[in-house]
Amino acid sequence: MISPGTEVRQLDGVRILDLFAGPGGLDVAAHFLGFKSIGIEWDRNACETRYAAGLPTIHADVSVMRETRFDEIPRSVDILTGGPPCQSFSVAGNGAGRRALDTVKKFIHRLVDGEDEAKIDEELHALDDPRTALVLEPLRWLLKAIETEGRAPYRMIVLEQVPAVRPLWDVYAELLQSGVGRLKGFKYEADCWELKTEQFGVPQTRKRAVLVARLPEHGAVEPLETTHLPFDLHRGKHNAVQADMLPTDSEAPEPKQCWLSMAEALDAASGLEDSSVDVSRLRTRGELKFFVVSNYGSGGDPKNRGERLSSEPAFTVTGKISRNKIYTNDAAYAADRYDRFTIPEAGVLQTFPHNFPWSGNDQAQQVGNAVPPRLGMHVLSRALRGDAPSEEELAAARTWPSVPRATADELRGIGCGDQSQCPPESHKVTRPRSTSAP
């Protein structure tokens, strides 16, 4: 396992390039599997978290890096990962991406067919939500690698997004398998799945569409094996044996664990050495027992706020998780005496280590935007090694190693340098108005 704080040149041995890296969900997963990564991230706050965590980072726009700074990516990189921004595809967003699915499918084909990219860019900028175009960036990075002298095509590709993007990943997979056009005969073994995070030990319900592709010498892409039972969103039945879980032949399947609850995850994290999680305020007579009222409405009714018991997985962790209300009993609910999840607690519900060094501003948004590292470990382990993460690796992922300040400063120098190539205005400091002395 590579420790972020070791005294080595920070970019030596980097194999994974993580596009739209955020605070590091996939990078954290890669670290605990023994792979070193570098991420590209445009948000300054997420970069500050990454520097503090010892994660190599370039503070830049993904598109600009591809167009003008591609040669800065270490040549040791042979794995491409990424989770393009989901706002235009998410059900919580404006829906522009979902409405444009058929149009984006055509753009994917046009890019591979070799149409003029300047013309394609012009049309992409005319979309209702320009962020929709970012879902094409992983493909454009792959094509760039294939067409750049001295570069090799990525050996493996791992992409994730909200379920609405699954049809686009299917088109990606079809083209990657074909090797046509600008792929220049490079054919990949590829497959796509819709995964439920609670089935991989993440204490929240969250669905993700995942694409895994590998060059043929690495073998066929095998589906992931779930480790936990799904959570019944309709309540009342989650402890019952469901028909689709029963064996269909004489050989009974290996029993799966029950999904992990909020209380189990937070209680375990609070018991770790020097834990950043303190849930004593949520205990009643020593028992960790509470319920959460969502910030979001359900069933199309903004006033119909969903509820989850502490004995259940959390709602999908979003950037608004700090607005969810936590009540310890019905009396507190009646009096509207509520608590909130702290940032370390929200991170644990995303399966980040309890002591992950969240930094910068908008930390709740950083947490919500991230890929759950435990899910990332299962996906990356299957893609990169053909197996599941070991119990030892999963156990180690509960605690993040200490990173010296000097390492964070060195990484900031690599990522931001003189700040001239960082996204415009990203380092602008808004100072309060001066006031005259009384």
Side-chain angles (χ1 to χ4, degrees):
M1 183 172 67
I2 303 167
S3 175
T6 54
E7 296 297 324
V8 297
R9 291 177 58 191
Q10 296 300 336
L11 301 187
D12 282 356
V14 167
R15 290 194 59 193
I16 298 175
L17 172 62
D18 188 13
L19 306 179
F20 312 102
L26 285 174
D27 304 79
V28 169
H31 161 73
F32 286 112
L33 294 175
F35 293 86
K36 192 171 181 179
S37 63
I38 185 169
I40 302 176
E41 174 55 42
W42 74 271
D43 179 66
R44 178 190 179 190
N45 295 306
C47 287
E48 284 301 318
T49 292
R50 294 178 61 85
Y51 300 147
L55 297 172
T57 306
I58 300 176
H59 182 199
D61 180 280
V62 165
S63 301
V64 172
M65 281 296 301
R66 172 179 52 81
E67 293 168 355
T68 64
R69 301 172 61 191
F70 189 79
D71 60 346
E72 296 180 31
I73 302 302
R75 291 182 180 269
S76 56
V77 165
D78 60 356
I79 300 163
L80 182 69
T81 68
C86 66
Q87 289 90 339
S88 73
F89 294 98
S90 171
V91 294
N94 60 25
R98 299 194 302 277
R99 294 190 297 272
L101 278 176
D102 288 340
T103 300
V104 177
K105 288 178 184 179
K106 294 176 183 177
F107 279 121
I108 294 173
H109 282 280
R110 291 170 62 185
L111 282 170
V112 173
D113 289 343
E115 287 195 30
D116 180 63
E117 288 205 48
K119 172 63 175 173
I120 291 176
D121 281 334
E122 182 181 342
E123 295 182 38
L124 286 171
H125 290 313
L127 293 173
D128 289 344
D129 188 335
R131 292 175 297 183
T132 301
L134 296 175
V135 77
L136 300 172
E137 278 298 326
L139 174 62
R140 301 180 86 165
W141 275 81
L142 170 61
L143 297 176
K144 183 84 170 185
I146 291 174
E147 295 171 347
T148 299
E149 185 177 354
R151 294 276 180 170
Y154 302 113
R155 294 177 178 273
M156 303 177 191
I157 301 165
V158 176
L159 305 177
E160 66 84 36
Q161 248 281 7
V162 294
V165 174
R166 169 69 185 274
L168 301 183
W169 289 165
D170 287 336
V171 175
Y172 262 62
E174 177 186 348
L175 289 171
L176 290 172
Q177 290 165 344
S178 72
V180 300
R182 293 172 65 190
L183 292 168
K184 296 185 176 181
F186 289 104
K187 297 182 180 181
Y188 288 78
E189 298 286 342
D191 204 354
C192 308
W193 312 289
E194 183 176 307
L195 305 178
K196 295 181 178 181
T197 57
E198 80 271 16
Q199 291 193 268
F200 296 90
V202 178
Q204 72 172 285
T205 53
R206 187 188 196 106
K207 294 180 181 179
R208 305 304 289 178
V210 172
L211 164 71
V212 171
R214 308 193 302 192
L215 289 175
E217 60 261 34
H218 299 289
V221 176
E222 299 292 338
L224 276 71
E225 296 181 5
T226 60
T227 57
H228 292 67
L229 297 174
F231 176 68
D232 183 355
L233 294 174
H234 298 291
R235 299 294 200 285
K237 300 180 181 179
H238 40 257
N239 289 322
V241 177
Q242 300 179 23
D244 59 2
M245 297 177 193
L246 295 174
T248 55
D249 53 36
S250 57
E251 184 178 352
E254 183 178 342
K256 298 184 187 301
Q257 304 173 62
C258 184
W259 33 259
L260 193 67
S261 72
M262 289 182 280
E264 290 172 302
L266 294 173
D267 202 26
S270 70
L272 296 173
E273 184 177 358
D274 298 324
S275 179
S276 302
V277 174
D278 181 2
V279 289
S280 58
R281 71 192 189 286
L282 302 178
R283 294 186 186 277
T284 301
R285 298 185 182 87
E287 184 180 5
L288 185 56
K289 189 174 183 179
F290 58 86
F291 61 95
V292 180
V293 178
S294 173
N295 176 61
Y296 292 100
S298 61
D301 181 0
K303 296 182 179 180
N304 183 22
R305 305 301 172 99
E307 296 182 10
R308 288 281 174 90
L309 301 175
S310 55
S311 57
E312 299 174 327
F315 295 106
T316 297
V317 174
T318 72
K320 303 295 190 295
I321 186 171
S322 58
R323 298 184 185 180
N324 289 349
K325 297 180 178 181
I326 308 173
Y327 298 94
T328 52
N329 51 55
D330 290 337
Y333 179 73
D336 205 25
R337 294 195 304 268
Y338 56 84
D339 212 310
R340 307 280 196 186
F341 285 121
T342 65
I343 295 301
E345 290 165 358
V348 166
L349 296 178
Q350 277 279 55
T351 63
F352 276 88
H354 71 93
N355 60 336
F356 196 67
W358 301 101
S359 304
N361 297 321
D362 298 328
Q363 292 180 14
Q365 193 66 51
Q366 292 183 50
V367 175
N369 286 347
V371 178
R374 187 177 177 109
L375 176 67
M377 289 180 70
H378 280 275
V379 174
L380 289 180
S381 186
R382 174 64 70 183
L384 277 53
R385 309 187 309 195
D387 60 9
S390 69
E391 290 301 321
E392 291 76 16
E393 288 168 331
L394 292 171
R398 297 185 300 173
T399 301
W400 192 247
S402 176
V403 176
R405 174 72 64 84
T407 299
D409 291 342
E410 183 180 349
L411 289 172
R412 188 178 294 103
I414 294 171
C416 292
D418 63 3
Q419 302 180 4
S420 64
Q421 297 193 84
C422 296
E425 304 296 314
S426 61
H427 287 273
K428 182 178 180 180
V429 177
T430 302
R431 301 187 184 281
R433 291 182 180 179
S434 60
T435 57
S436 58

